[in-house]
Amino acid sequence: MFRNAVITGACGGLGQALARQLIDSGAHVALVGLNLSALQALAALAPERTRIYTPDVSNAAAMQAMASEWLAQHGTPDLVIANAGVAGGFETADATDLAVMRRMLEINLLGVATTFQPFLQAMLDRQQAGALVGVASIAGWRGMPGNGAYCASKAGLIAYLQSLRAELRPTRLSVHTISPGYLRTALTAGNSFAMPGLMEPEAAARALLQGVAGGREHIVLPRRIGWLSRALSLLPARWHDRILLGQPRKPRAGQAGATPIPGLQSATEMSSPNASPKP
């Protein structure tokens, strides 16, 4: 299948399941994430075929340094999976949540481009088949109350992947958009609402890799959640909104059940005259 892979967000959930399956298949795998102990446990499965990297995926210079080292030591990948992502509730009326939106866009959207960019020219120069995979979400198909930052980041990602796919049509590289529904991961552990079609990450990883290897450009995990989302989209917008408004909302940063957002700065820090932007 794939012999040389790079995976961001490899610490847990879908990313960890993807890494394990690729390592088990004999591939060389660059493990990119922030949880060092989790990455070390994965690397121990095949020390000679893996390497650990812990950059901020939104930091272009750090990602380029990571890519340069991997290319020099293991060669050009035939699979790059931009899986790193964060989630959390968002309330526009609360100024502190503006920092949440900024950071979510940096990781979920910009982080995909900074993952692909350092490898793209080498993959093109190799003139062989290769795959660029972006993990979006069905949340990018339609905005949901209390989830504006996450939905916006994933909708933007879907559009970015569409653009990149069109650009690379004349080449041997393919671009794949993954739209998971609910996976049993840390990002969904704090959800208090119904999660239809909840899928185990190991099953999702198998379906993803099989779909990419089979040339599917759009992969929904599981497929039935995509059908449900499309069925709801046929309703008048007011009815659809009323259904969504009746559901509990995603926990916001600082609330019980919220997942941490690495590198998150408060709105107070961002508005300080001495504040400096992240690199």
Side-chain angles (χ1 to χ4, degrees):
M1 193 183 287
F2 299 104
R3 309 311 304 167
N4 187 318
V6 176
I7 306 174
T8 66
C11 300
L14 178 61
Q16 187 176 90
L18 287 166
R20 285 183 178 276
Q21 291 178 27
L22 286 164
I23 291 170
D24 289 347
S25 74
H28 290 245
V29 183
L31 304 167
V32 184
L34 296 178
N35 186 328
L36 184 59
S37 61
L39 297 179
Q40 288 172 333
L42 284 171
L45 299 174
E48 73 286 356
R49 292 188 281 109
T50 57
R51 189 161 182 83
I52 293 170
Y53 301 96
T54 58
D56 175 346
V57 295
S58 68
N59 185 323
M63 293 298 286
Q64 288 164 357
M66 175 276 293
S68 295
E69 183 174 314
W70 180 259
L71 289 166
Q73 295 191 4
H74 292 273
T76 303
D78 55 6
L79 175 67
V80 178
I81 303 178
N83 169 68
V86 292
F90 178 79
E91 179 58 61
T92 301
D94 192 327
T96 60
D97 275 10
L98 294 176
V100 171
M101 174 172 270
R102 178 191 294 270
R103 190 65 185 133
M104 210 170 287
L105 290 168
E106 287 176 345
I107 296 172
N108 294 358
L109 180 52
L110 176 62
V112 177
T114 56
T115 298
F116 291 163
Q117 187 277 321
F119 294 104
L120 184 53
Q121 193 58 54
M123 295 175 76
L124 288 169
D125 291 344
R126 196 179 59 147
Q127 296 185 351
Q128 296 181 23
L132 300 167
V133 179
V135 178
S137 170
I138 61 166
W141 297 4
R142 190 188 195 281
M144 296 184 290
N147 212 17
Y150 183 73
C151 292
S153 70
K154 294 302 186 178
L157 174 54
I158 290 170
Y160 165 68
L161 294 170
Q162 288 173 334
S163 298
L164 185 61
R165 183 179 300 115
E167 294 166 12
L168 295 178
R169 286 289 185 199
T171 76
R172 298 195 63 189
L173 301 185
S174 57
V175 177
H176 305 263
T177 301
I178 314 302
S179 293
Y182 296 110
L183 306 183
R184 195 184 302 278
T185 69
L187 292 183
T188 60
N191 291 351
S192 59
F193 47 84
M195 294 185 285
L198 184 65
M199 193 176 191
E200 297 297 331
E202 293 77 13
R206 284 193 297 272
L208 187 158
L209 292 173
Q210 291 170 0
V212 172
R216 288 174 54 200
E217 295 179 344
H218 302 275
I219 301 171
V220 181
L221 304 170
R223 287 189 179 184
R224 62 183 179 277
I225 197 65
W227 300 333
L228 175 60
S229 181
R230 291 189 179 96
L232 286 172
S233 70
L234 298 176
L235 295 173
R238 288 181 181 273
W239 295 6
H240 197 168
D241 290 343
R242 190 170 299 143
I243 292 171
L244 294 177
L245 282 168
Q247 301 299 312
R249 296 193 177 189
K250 184 82 174 174
R252 293 165 56 212
Q255 293 181 336
T259 52
I261 299 178
L264 178 63
Q265 293 177 274
S266 71
T268 301
E269 291 173 320
M270 294 301 296
S271 62
S272 168
N274 296 321
S276 56
K278 288 185 67 62

